[in-house]
Amino acid sequence: MNYRSTRGQVSGQSFESVVLEGLAADGGLFIPEQLPTLPADWQTAWAELSFPELATELIAQFVGTDLSHTKVSQLVQKSYATFDTPEVTPMVQLDARTHVLELFHGPTFAFKDVALQFLGNLFEFFLERRNAQSGGHRLTVVGATSGDTGSAAIYGLRGKKNVEVFILHPRGRVSAVQEAQMTTVLDENVHNVSIEGTFDDCQDIVKELFSRAEFRREHSLGAVNSINWARILAQISYYFYAFFALRRSHGADALPAFVVPSGNFGDILAGFYAQSLGLPVAKLVIATNANDILDRFLRTGTYEKDASVAATPSPAMDILVSSNFERFLWYLARDHEVPSSVVDPEERAARACEILAQWMDRLKTAGSFSVSPAALDAARQVFWSGRCGDAETYSTIAAHYSHEPSYLLDPHTAVGVHVAETLRPEIQALGAHVHSVCLSTAHPAKFSDAVLRAVNDAGHQLDFDSILPAPFVGLLEKPRRCFESENSADAVAQHIVDVAQSK
């Protein structure tokens, strides 16, 4: 199993190297050179597997000779032992044909834990193995967060040997709980950095640091954002798990239409890969908030940045540019932009890299690019999309809290549920056997202000202490450590140098 960059200048990379490098040297994202073929009997052989067993089988398809099946199993078991339920990602039914896949049962109560607990253990294992062979290998992980990635990365990497982690977050643009989850972790290898700006500013700084070849080499930079392929790989597992759970509860012909709150596109990209591997999926639905670059693309065929980020009740989705969309665009270019007269697979891949690089350059210089009508039609075959405003987010939270039985949604999950309800006629038209499965990305207690506003403004009462997870009790009063930086890659780079020199 080898990997190539979407930009075309790097190929033939092993699983281990793409995990440790994160972002390709040419600025592209790593993708498999070929997708594996699942066992012919996977639908029966895997039907009753536990989540860790299922994740092991799927991840093992992508690691080549870098990890044995036994080692994959050990790393997976270690990663998901930190979750508060044996199911890892249980599914809850809202109505006859609508379900919520709860992805928030990890140590930071966000879906990012599914990938980052695993990624942290991968980093540690690969570095320990390299050090046993030659010594001196360390990793400086640099990441940007709109809230949940930061705490999940920190909890996945805190105390790990040979790893320093620097997490950039936009000052004042994450929830109080999210900020506290990050900045109250005082382990010596954890370094929080607040930036005056937006998540996109933080992400741009990270990408700029990775583009500095000498700095990247000197500090052995590693990526923890969903630009890291291992993040996407780990998330494929819960699409398969939800498929099997739905069929166990609703019959052998039940089919999921996954509705996914989408910001950086990593979560639903895992669904695209699951479908590409052969998972039966009725539809993948992108749910956006007011920052709707993905919804606008599917309506117009033009991928265009807004002038600024809108602050919404679902801050983890407050993103101008969805970095992971580049991976899907590569497949779109290969299959629908490269002329059909080009039949050699490697030549088609090379041409796709050229087209993708041109698109990304236009996005950077002009703020937008457009795909062909054929490519847009192909994208619409894979994805539907919908948009949810702030008022709809609050009303959806209130409506489901007042239902019997009551269910409390976080604002990101509410975006997904609202879009699922808006598209209910279209989803039901796919067949009586199709069920909406809305991915729930965070525990509602992480967004107390939005949840309480939604419930109270609707005239309901909510005892918030009754839903507060034990680790959140007293969290806001704990000591904190955070470096306040100006909005500049140079300033962040200097902070990384200063920390390295102080060790």
Side-chain angles (χ1 to χ4, degrees), residues 212-255:
R212 299 179 178 182
E214 184 177 347
F215 182 84
R216 178 177 182 171
R217 183 170 53 253
E218 179 181 354
H219 294 278
S220 299
L221 295 192
V224 75
N225 285 89
S226 53
I227 57 176
N228 193 307
W229 166 251
R231 285 270 310 266
I232 307 302
L233 174 57
Q235 291 172 195
I236 294 171
S237 301
Y238 50 69
Y239 285 91
F240 278 80
Y241 191 75
F243 167 79
F244 286 124
L246 184 65
R247 292 209 159 176
R248 284 194 294 269
S249 61
H250 288 80
D253 66 340
L255 202 60

mmCIF file of all heavy atoms in Angstrom, residues 212-255:
data_model
loop_
_atom_site.group_PDB
_atom_site.id
_atom_site.type_symbol
_atom_site.label_atom_id
_atom_site.label_comp_id
_atom_site.label_asym_id
_atom_site.label_seq_id
_atom_site.Cartn_x
_atom_site.Cartn_y
_atom_site.Cartn_z
ATOM 1 N N ARG A 212 7.861 25.541 4.894
ATOM 2 C CA ARG A 212 9.240 25.975 5.115
ATOM 3 C C ARG A 212 10.110 24.725 5.289
ATOM 4 O O ARG A 212 10.215 24.169 6.398
ATOM 5 C CB ARG A 212 9.326 26.880 6.335
ATOM 6 C CG ARG A 212 8.507 28.157 6.204
ATOM 7 C CD ARG A 212 8.583 29.025 7.442
ATOM 8 N NE ARG A 212 7.818 30.259 7.272
ATOM 9 C CZ ARG A 212 7.740 31.234 8.185
ATOM 10 N NH1 ARG A 212 8.400 31.099 9.343
ATOM 11 N NH2 ARG A 212 7.014 32.307 7.953
ATOM 12 N N ALA A 213 10.742 24.301 4.220
ATOM 13 C CA ALA A 213 11.416 23.002 4.194
ATOM 14 C C ALA A 213 12.460 22.858 5.293
ATOM 15 O O ALA A 213 12.525 21.821 5.972
ATOM 16 C CB ALA A 213 12.055 22.780 2.819
ATOM 17 N N GLU A 214 13.287 23.873 5.492
ATOM 18 C CA GLU A 214 14.346 23.781 6.496
ATOM 19 C C GLU A 214 13.757 23.712 7.898
ATOM 20 O O GLU A 214 14.188 22.895 8.728
ATOM 21 C CB GLU A 214 15.298 24.965 6.367
ATOM 22 C CG GLU A 214 16.482 24.886 7.322
ATOM 23 C CD GLU A 214 17.461 26.031 7.122
ATOM 24 O OE1 GLU A 214 17.355 26.736 6.088
ATOM 25 O OE2 GLU A 214 18.332 26.222 8.000
ATOM 26 N N PHE A 215 12.777 24.565 8.180
ATOM 27 C CA PHE A 215 12.142 24.558 9.506
ATOM 28 C C PHE A 215 11.437 23.226 9.741
ATOM 29 O O PHE A 215 11.538 22.639 10.832
ATOM 30 C CB PHE A 215 11.135 25.710 9.596
ATOM 31 C CG PHE A 215 10.467 25.832 10.934
ATOM 32 C CD1 PHE A 215 11.069 26.519 11.972
ATOM 33 C CD2 PHE A 215 9.225 25.256 11.154
ATOM 34 C CE1 PHE A 215 10.441 26.633 13.214
ATOM 35 C CE2 PHE A 215 8.591 25.365 12.390
ATOM 36 C CZ PHE A 215 9.211 26.055 13.419
ATOM 37 N N ARG A 216 10.747 22.731 8.723
ATOM 38 C CA ARG A 216 10.028 21.462 8.843
ATOM 39 C C ARG A 216 10.990 20.321 9.143
ATOM 40 O O ARG A 216 10.710 19.467 9.992
ATOM 41 C CB ARG A 216 9.258 21.191 7.553
ATOM 42 C CG ARG A 216 8.496 19.881 7.529
ATOM 43 C CD ARG A 216 7.712 19.751 6.233
ATOM 44 N NE ARG A 216 6.930 18.528 6.204
ATOM 45 C CZ ARG A 216 6.028 18.233 5.283
ATOM 46 N NH1 ARG A 216 5.786 19.097 4.303
ATOM 47 N NH2 ARG A 216 5.367 17.102 5.316
ATOM 48 N N ARG A 217 12.125 20.316 8.471
ATOM 49 C CA ARG A 217 13.113 19.255 8.660
ATOM 50 C C ARG A 217 13.790 19.379 10.030
ATOM 51 O O ARG A 217 13.958 18.386 10.744
ATOM 52 C CB ARG A 217 14.144 19.322 7.544
ATOM 53 C CG ARG A 217 15.197 18.226 7.578
ATOM 54 C CD ARG A 217 16.038 18.228 6.310
ATOM 55 N NE ARG A 217 16.607 19.537 6.024
ATOM 56 C CZ ARG A 217 16.181 20.343 5.050
ATOM 57 N NH1 ARG A 217 15.157 19.995 4.288
ATOM 58 N NH2 ARG A 217 16.771 21.516 4.849
ATOM 59 N N GLU A 218 14.163 20.600 10.412
ATOM 60 C CA GLU A 218 14.880 20.802 11.667
ATOM 61 C C GLU A 218 14.046 20.386 12.875
ATOM 62 O O GLU A 218 14.564 19.824 13.845
ATOM 63 C CB GLU A 218 15.291 22.273 11.801
ATOM 64 C CG GLU A 218 16.034 22.588 13.093
ATOM 65 C CD GLU A 218 16.404 24.055 13.192
ATOM 66 O OE1 GLU A 218 16.189 24.799 12.207
ATOM 67 O OE2 GLU A 218 16.897 24.461 14.268
ATOM 68 N N HIS A 219 12.728 20.643 12.802
ATOM 69 C CA HIS A 219 11.870 20.366 13.958
ATOM 70 C C HIS A 219 11.001 19.118 13.775
ATOM 71 O O HIS A 219 10.181 18.812 14.641
ATOM 72 C CB HIS A 219 10.985 21.584 14.247
ATOM 73 C CG HIS A 219 11.760 22.786 14.701
ATOM 74 N ND1 HIS A 219 12.173 22.959 16.006
ATOM 75 C CD2 HIS A 219 12.231 23.860 14.004
ATOM 76 C CE1 HIS A 219 12.847 24.090 16.110
ATOM 77 N NE2 HIS A 219 12.898 24.654 14.910
ATOM 78 N N SER A 220 11.197 18.414 12.687
ATOM 79 C CA SER A 220 10.444 17.174 12.416
ATOM 80 C C SER A 220 8.943 17.407 12.616
ATOM 81 O O SER A 220 8.296 16.772 13.458
ATOM 82 C CB SER A 220 10.928 16.045 13.329
ATOM 83 O OG SER A 220 12.289 15.761 13.122
ATOM 84 N N LEU A 221 8.386 18.307 11.811
ATOM 85 C CA LEU A 221 6.980 18.652 11.965
ATOM 86 C C LEU A 221 6.084 17.482 11.583
ATOM 87 O O LEU A 221 6.336 16.773 10.609
ATOM 88 C CB LEU A 221 6.621 19.863 11.103
ATOM 89 C CG LEU A 221 7.276 21.194 11.437
ATOM 90 C CD1 LEU A 221 6.577 22.320 10.661
ATOM 91 C CD2 LEU A 221 7.261 21.492 12.928
ATOM 92 N N GLY A 222 5.029 17.298 12.355
ATOM 93 C CA GLY A 222 4.005 16.309 12.064
ATOM 94 C C GLY A 222 2.637 16.954 12.171
ATOM 95 O O GLY A 222 2.450 17.929 12.911
ATOM 96 N N ALA A 223 1.673 16.420 11.425
ATOM 97 C CA ALA A 223 0.335 17.023 11.356
ATOM 98 C C ALA A 223 -0.666 16.205 12.153
ATOM 99 O O ALA A 223 -0.650 14.972 12.133
ATOM 100 C CB ALA A 223 -0.127 17.134 9.910
ATOM 101 N N VAL A 224 -1.555 16.916 12.821
ATOM 102 C CA VAL A 224 -2.593 16.253 13.596
ATOM 103 C C VAL A 224 -3.988 16.609 13.084
ATOM 104 O O VAL A 224 -4.963 15.958 13.433
ATOM 105 C CB VAL A 224 -2.435 16.614 15.091
ATOM 106 C CG1 VAL A 224 -2.918 18.034 15.362
ATOM 107 C CG2 VAL A 224 -3.119 15.609 15.989
ATOM 108 N N ASN A 225 -4.078 17.627 12.233
ATOM 109 C CA ASN A 225 -5.368 17.951 11.629
ATOM 110 C C ASN A 225 -5.774 16.863 10.653
ATOM 111 O O ASN A 225 -4.992 15.958 10.352
ATOM 112 C CB ASN A 225 -5.311 19.313 10.927
ATOM 113 C CG ASN A 225 -5.320 20.465 11.922
ATOM 114 O OD1 ASN A 225 -4.274 20.903 12.379
ATOM 115 N ND2 ASN A 225 -6.502 20.937 12.257
ATOM 116 N N SER A 226 -6.984 16.969 10.121
ATOM 117 C CA SER A 226 -7.470 15.915 9.236
ATOM 118 C C SER A 226 -6.771 15.921 7.888
ATOM 119 O O SER A 226 -7.099 15.099 7.024
ATOM 120 C CB SER A 226 -8.990 16.021 9.046
ATOM 121 O OG SER A 226 -9.370 17.321 8.629
ATOM 122 N N ILE A 227 -5.802 16.810 7.684
ATOM 123 C CA ILE A 227 -4.911 16.656 6.543
ATOM 124 C C ILE A 227 -4.094 15.369 6.696
ATOM 125 O O ILE A 227 -3.599 14.824 5.707
ATOM 126 C CB ILE A 227 -3.975 17.865 6.363
ATOM 127 C CG1 ILE A 227 -3.144 18.131 7.621
ATOM 128 C CG2 ILE A 227 -4.760 19.104 5.951
ATOM 129 C CD1 ILE A 227 -2.123 19.250 7.479
ATOM 130 N N ASN A 228 -3.949 14.859 7.921
ATOM 131 C CA ASN A 228 -3.237 13.605 8.147
ATOM 132 C C ASN A 228 -4.132 12.438 7.749
ATOM 133 O O ASN A 228 -5.237 12.276 8.280
ATOM 134 C CB ASN A 228 -2.803 13.484 9.611
ATOM 135 C CG ASN A 228 -1.796 12.369 9.827
ATOM 136 O OD1 ASN A 228 -2.020 11.221 9.441
ATOM 137 N ND2 ASN A 228 -0.679 12.703 10.451
ATOM 138 N N TRP A 229 -3.652 11.615 6.829
ATOM 139 C CA TRP A 229 -4.453 10.518 6.289
ATOM 140 C C TRP A 229 -4.977 9.590 7.369
ATOM 141 O O TRP A 229 -6.092 9.060 7.261
ATOM 142 C CB TRP A 229 -3.643 9.728 5.260
ATOM 143 C CG TRP A 229 -4.274 8.415 4.924
ATOM 144 C CD1 TRP A 229 -3.842 7.172 5.261
ATOM 145 C CD2 TRP A 229 -5.521 8.228 4.221
ATOM 146 N NE1 TRP A 229 -4.722 6.216 4.811
ATOM 147 C CE2 TRP A 229 -5.756 6.834 4.166
ATOM 148 C CE3 TRP A 229 -6.443 9.082 3.622
ATOM 149 C CZ2 TRP A 229 -6.872 6.277 3.547
ATOM 150 C CZ3 TRP A 229 -7.562 8.528 3.002
ATOM 151 C CH2 TRP A 229 -7.773 7.159 2.976
ATOM 152 N N ALA A 230 -4.207 9.356 8.429
ATOM 153 C CA ALA A 230 -4.640 8.425 9.471
ATOM 154 C C ALA A 230 -5.927 8.887 10.142
ATOM 155 O O ALA A 230 -6.712 8.056 10.631
ATOM 156 C CB ALA A 230 -3.541 8.237 10.513
ATOM 157 N N ARG A 231 -6.149 10.201 10.187
ATOM 158 C CA ARG A 231 -7.410 10.719 10.734
ATOM 159 C C ARG A 231 -8.590 10.226 9.910
ATOM 160 O O ARG A 231 -9.594 9.744 10.440
ATOM 161 C CB ARG A 231 -7.392 12.258 10.724
ATOM 162 C CG ARG A 231 -6.537 12.923 11.790
ATOM 163 C CD ARG A 231 -7.313 13.191 13.076
ATOM 164 N NE ARG A 231 -8.568 13.861 12.875
ATOM 165 C CZ ARG A 231 -8.763 15.183 12.941
ATOM 166 N NH1 ARG A 231 -7.744 15.984 13.173
ATOM 167 N NH2 ARG A 231 -9.965 15.694 12.795
ATOM 168 N N ILE A 232 -8.498 10.365 8.597
ATOM 169 C CA ILE A 232 -9.586 9.937 7.718
ATOM 170 C C ILE A 232 -9.775 8.429 7.818
ATOM 171 O O ILE A 232 -10.904 7.930 7.912
ATOM 172 C CB ILE A 232 -9.293 10.341 6.259
ATOM 173 C CG1 ILE A 232 -8.973 11.843 6.169
ATOM 174 C CG2 ILE A 232 -10.463 9.962 5.356
ATOM 175 C CD1 ILE A 232 -10.055 12.750 6.692
ATOM 176 N N LEU A 233 -8.673 7.695 7.799
ATOM 177 C CA LEU A 233 -8.733 6.239 7.843
ATOM 178 C C LEU A 233 -9.486 5.748 9.075
ATOM 179 O O LEU A 233 -10.359 4.872 8.969
ATOM 180 C CB LEU A 233 -7.312 5.669 7.823
ATOM 181 C CG LEU A 233 -7.164 4.159 7.999
ATOM 182 C CD1 LEU A 233 -7.952 3.401 6.941
ATOM 183 C CD2 LEU A 233 -5.677 3.769 7.951
ATOM 184 N N ALA A 234 -9.172 6.295 10.233
ATOM 185 C CA ALA A 234 -9.826 5.838 11.458
ATOM 186 C C ALA A 234 -11.325 6.119 11.435
ATOM 187 O O ALA A 234 -12.119 5.347 11.988
ATOM 188 C CB ALA A 234 -9.180 6.504 12.674
ATOM 189 N N GLN A 235 -11.722 7.204 10.781
ATOM 190 C CA GLN A 235 -13.135 7.583 10.770
ATOM 191 C C GLN A 235 -13.975 6.738 9.819
ATOM 192 O O GLN A 235 -15.201 6.686 9.956
ATOM 193 C CB GLN A 235 -13.264 9.075 10.430
ATOM 194 C CG GLN A 235 -12.743 9.973 11.540
ATOM 195 C CD GLN A 235 -12.676 11.446 11.163
ATOM 196 O OE1 GLN A 235 -12.041 12.227 11.841
ATOM 197 N NE2 GLN A 235 -13.304 11.840 10.075
ATOM 198 N N ILE A 236 -13.350 6.053 8.874
ATOM 199 C CA ILE A 236 -14.102 5.168 7.984
ATOM 200 C C ILE A 236 -14.845 4.109 8.793
ATOM 201 O O ILE A 236 -15.951 3.692 8.435
ATOM 202 C CB ILE A 236 -13.146 4.517 6.958
ATOM 203 C CG1 ILE A 236 -12.570 5.567 6.006
ATOM 204 C CG2 ILE A 236 -13.860 3.422 6.166
ATOM 205 C CD1 ILE A 236 -11.460 5.027 5.098
ATOM 206 N N SER A 237 -14.251 3.705 9.921
ATOM 207 C CA SER A 237 -14.789 2.583 10.696
ATOM 208 C C SER A 237 -16.219 2.815 11.152
ATOM 209 O O SER A 237 -17.043 1.890 11.137
ATOM 210 C CB SER A 237 -13.899 2.319 11.916
ATOM 211 O OG SER A 237 -12.582 2.033 11.524
ATOM 212 N N TYR A 238 -16.546 4.045 11.578
ATOM 213 C CA TYR A 238 -17.884 4.204 12.143
ATOM 214 C C TYR A 238 -18.984 4.247 11.093
ATOM 215 O O TYR A 238 -20.153 4.043 11.420
ATOM 216 C CB TYR A 238 -17.986 5.375 13.130
ATOM 217 C CG TYR A 238 -17.467 6.731 12.752
ATOM 218 C CD1 TYR A 238 -18.073 7.517 11.783
ATOM 219 C CD2 TYR A 238 -16.398 7.268 13.457
ATOM 220 C CE1 TYR A 238 -17.612 8.782 11.501
ATOM 221 C CE2 TYR A 238 -15.916 8.542 13.184
ATOM 222 C CZ TYR A 238 -16.524 9.299 12.208
ATOM 223 O OH TYR A 238 -16.070 10.571 11.943
ATOM 224 N N TYR A 239 -18.636 4.465 9.843
ATOM 225 C CA TYR A 239 -19.642 4.320 8.783
ATOM 226 C C TYR A 239 -20.018 2.842 8.619
ATOM 227 O O TYR A 239 -21.200 2.498 8.492
ATOM 228 C CB TYR A 239 -19.120 4.897 7.468
ATOM 229 C CG TYR A 239 -19.128 6.410 7.442
ATOM 230 C CD1 TYR A 239 -18.023 7.140 7.855
ATOM 231 C CD2 TYR A 239 -20.255 7.109 7.018
ATOM 232 C CE1 TYR A 239 -18.032 8.532 7.832
ATOM 233 C CE2 TYR A 239 -20.276 8.489 6.989
ATOM 234 C CZ TYR A 239 -19.160 9.198 7.400
ATOM 235 O OH TYR A 239 -19.180 10.574 7.390
ATOM 236 N N PHE A 240 -19.025 1.976 8.615
ATOM 237 C CA PHE A 240 -19.310 0.548 8.533
ATOM 238 C C PHE A 240 -20.059 0.071 9.775
ATOM 239 O O PHE A 240 -20.998 -0.730 9.680
ATOM 240 C CB PHE A 240 -18.009 -0.243 8.367
ATOM 241 C CG PHE A 240 -17.493 -0.290 6.955
ATOM 242 C CD1 PHE A 240 -16.781 0.781 6.416
ATOM 243 C CD2 PHE A 240 -17.703 -1.403 6.157
ATOM 244 C CE1 PHE A 240 -16.298 0.739 5.113
ATOM 245 C CE2 PHE A 240 -17.234 -1.461 4.850
ATOM 246 C CZ PHE A 240 -16.534 -0.382 4.328
ATOM 247 N N TYR A 241 -19.657 0.565 10.942
ATOM 248 C CA TYR A 241 -20.312 0.144 12.180
ATOM 249 C C TYR A 241 -21.785 0.551 12.179
ATOM 250 O O TYR A 241 -22.667 -0.227 12.580
ATOM 251 C CB TYR A 241 -19.594 0.753 13.387
ATOM 252 C CG TYR A 241 -20.035 0.168 14.706
ATOM 253 C CD1 TYR A 241 -19.624 -1.106 15.095
ATOM 254 C CD2 TYR A 241 -20.861 0.888 15.571
ATOM 255 C CE1 TYR A 241 -20.025 -1.649 16.310
ATOM 256 C CE2 TYR A 241 -21.264 0.348 16.779
ATOM 257 C CZ TYR A 241 -20.843 -0.916 17.140
ATOM 258 O OH TYR A 241 -21.252 -1.453 18.343
ATOM 259 N N ALA A 242 -22.067 1.766 11.715
ATOM 260 C CA ALA A 242 -23.455 2.242 11.655
ATOM 261 C C ALA A 242 -24.269 1.413 10.665
ATOM 262 O O ALA A 242 -25.448 1.109 10.908
ATOM 263 C CB ALA A 242 -23.492 3.715 11.261
ATOM 264 N N PHE A 243 -23.672 1.046 9.547
ATOM 265 C CA PHE A 243 -24.340 0.206 8.551
ATOM 266 C C PHE A 243 -24.779 -1.118 9.181
ATOM 267 O O PHE A 243 -25.938 -1.539 9.033
ATOM 268 C CB PHE A 243 -23.401 -0.031 7.374
ATOM 269 C CG PHE A 243 -23.831 -1.123 6.434
ATOM 270 C CD1 PHE A 243 -24.812 -0.897 5.472
ATOM 271 C CD2 PHE A 243 -23.246 -2.384 6.497
ATOM 272 C CE1 PHE A 243 -25.216 -1.907 4.603
ATOM 273 C CE2 PHE A 243 -23.634 -3.391 5.628
ATOM 274 C CZ PHE A 243 -24.619 -3.157 4.677
ATOM 275 N N PHE A 244 -23.863 -1.765 9.872
ATOM 276 C CA PHE A 244 -24.205 -3.046 10.488
ATOM 277 C C PHE A 244 -25.227 -2.866 11.613
ATOM 278 O O PHE A 244 -26.143 -3.685 11.766
ATOM 279 C CB PHE A 244 -22.947 -3.722 11.024
ATOM 280 C CG PHE A 244 -22.067 -4.316 9.958
ATOM 281 C CD1 PHE A 244 -20.729 -3.943 9.853
ATOM 282 C CD2 PHE A 244 -22.569 -5.242 9.060
ATOM 283 C CE1 PHE A 244 -19.910 -4.494 8.878
ATOM 284 C CE2 PHE A 244 -21.761 -5.799 8.079
ATOM 285 C CZ PHE A 244 -20.425 -5.430 7.987
ATOM 286 N N ALA A 245 -25.089 -1.801 12.415
ATOM 287 C CA ALA A 245 -26.043 -1.551 13.500
ATOM 288 C C ALA A 245 -27.441 -1.324 12.948
ATOM 289 O O ALA A 245 -28.436 -1.815 13.508
ATOM 290 C CB ALA A 245 -25.593 -0.347 14.325
ATOM 291 N N LEU A 246 -27.547 -0.588 11.843
ATOM 292 C CA LEU A 246 -28.850 -0.325 11.241
ATOM 293 C C LEU A 246 -29.475 -1.620 10.733
ATOM 294 O O LEU A 246 -30.683 -1.854 10.925
ATOM 295 C CB LEU A 246 -28.688 0.681 10.092
ATOM 296 C CG LEU A 246 -29.969 1.150 9.410
ATOM 297 C CD1 LEU A 246 -30.841 1.935 10.384
ATOM 298 C CD2 LEU A 246 -29.633 2.012 8.192
ATOM 299 N N ARG A 247 -28.695 -2.458 10.120
ATOM 300 C CA ARG A 247 -29.248 -3.709 9.598
ATOM 301 C C ARG A 247 -29.632 -4.671 10.725
ATOM 302 O O ARG A 247 -30.602 -5.431 10.588
ATOM 303 C CB ARG A 247 -28.251 -4.355 8.638
ATOM 304 C CG ARG A 247 -28.094 -3.529 7.362
ATOM 305 C CD ARG A 247 -27.730 -4.341 6.149
ATOM 306 N NE ARG A 247 -28.081 -3.611 4.937
ATOM 307 C CZ ARG A 247 -27.813 -4.021 3.714
ATOM 308 N NH1 ARG A 247 -27.186 -5.179 3.527
ATOM 309 N NH2 ARG A 247 -28.178 -3.311 2.671
ATOM 310 N N ARG A 248 -28.895 -4.641 11.812
ATOM 311 C CA ARG A 248 -29.283 -5.497 12.945
ATOM 312 C C ARG A 248 -30.617 -5.070 13.527
ATOM 313 O O ARG A 248 -31.420 -5.894 13.956
ATOM 314 C CB ARG A 248 -28.196 -5.468 14.023
ATOM 315 C CG ARG A 248 -26.966 -6.294 13.690
ATOM 316 C CD ARG A 248 -26.089 -6.507 14.913
ATOM 317 N NE ARG A 248 -25.515 -5.261 15.397
ATOM 318 C CZ ARG A 248 -24.337 -4.782 15.011
ATOM 319 N NH1 ARG A 248 -23.604 -5.459 14.123
ATOM 320 N NH2 ARG A 248 -23.862 -3.645 15.498
ATOM 321 N N SER A 249 -30.875 -3.760 13.537
ATOM 322 C CA SER A 249 -32.094 -3.262 14.180
ATOM 323 C C SER A 249 -33.279 -3.127 13.230
ATOM 324 O O SER A 249 -34.432 -3.154 13.667
ATOM 325 C CB SER A 249 -31.825 -1.903 14.840
ATOM 326 O OG SER A 249 -31.428 -0.939 13.874
ATOM 327 N N HIS A 250 -33.026 -3.005 11.903
ATOM 328 C CA HIS A 250 -34.115 -2.725 10.968
ATOM 329 C C HIS A 250 -34.153 -3.636 9.746
ATOM 330 O O HIS A 250 -34.873 -3.358 8.786
ATOM 331 C CB HIS A 250 -34.054 -1.262 10.513
ATOM 332 C CG HIS A 250 -34.462 -0.297 11.575
ATOM 333 N ND1 HIS A 250 -33.615 0.097 12.584
ATOM 334 C CD2 HIS A 250 -35.649 0.314 11.810
ATOM 335 C CE1 HIS A 250 -34.260 0.940 13.384
ATOM 336 N NE2 HIS A 250 -35.477 1.091 12.942
ATOM 337 N N GLY A 251 -33.395 -4.714 9.780
ATOM 338 C CA GLY A 251 -33.515 -5.689 8.713
ATOM 339 C C GLY A 251 -32.408 -5.638 7.693
ATOM 340 O O GLY A 251 -31.701 -4.629 7.551
ATOM 341 N N ALA A 252 -32.279 -6.720 6.946
ATOM 342 C CA ALA A 252 -31.145 -6.919 6.051
ATOM 343 C C ALA A 252 -31.146 -6.002 4.836
ATOM 344 O O ALA A 252 -30.130 -5.894 4.145
ATOM 345 C CB ALA A 252 -31.103 -8.371 5.591
ATOM 346 N N ASP A 253 -32.287 -5.335 4.561
ATOM 347 C CA ASP A 253 -32.302 -4.428 3.403
ATOM 348 C C ASP A 253 -32.197 -2.960 3.807
ATOM 349 O O ASP A 253 -32.220 -2.076 2.943
ATOM 350 C CB ASP A 253 -33.564 -4.645 2.569
ATOM 351 C CG ASP A 253 -34.831 -4.249 3.299
ATOM 352 O OD1 ASP A 253 -34.794 -4.172 4.553
ATOM 353 O OD2 ASP A 253 -35.861 -4.016 2.630
ATOM 354 N N ALA A 254 -32.066 -2.670 5.099
ATOM 355 C CA ALA A 254 -31.974 -1.277 5.566
ATOM 356 C C ALA A 254 -30.719 -0.618 5.003
ATOM 357 O O ALA A 254 -29.645 -1.227 4.939
ATOM 358 C CB ALA A 254 -31.956 -1.228 7.089
ATOM 359 N N LEU A 255 -30.868 0.632 4.603
ATOM 360 C CA LEU A 255 -29.779 1.340 3.934
ATOM 361 C C LEU A 255 -29.638 2.736 4.544
ATOM 362 O O LEU A 255 -30.634 3.464 4.672
ATOM 363 C CB LEU A 255 -30.083 1.445 2.441
ATOM 364 C CG LEU A 255 -28.921 1.679 1.480
ATOM 365 C CD1 LEU A 255 -27.898 0.555 1.571
ATOM 366 C CD2 LEU A 255 -29.448 1.793 0.049
#
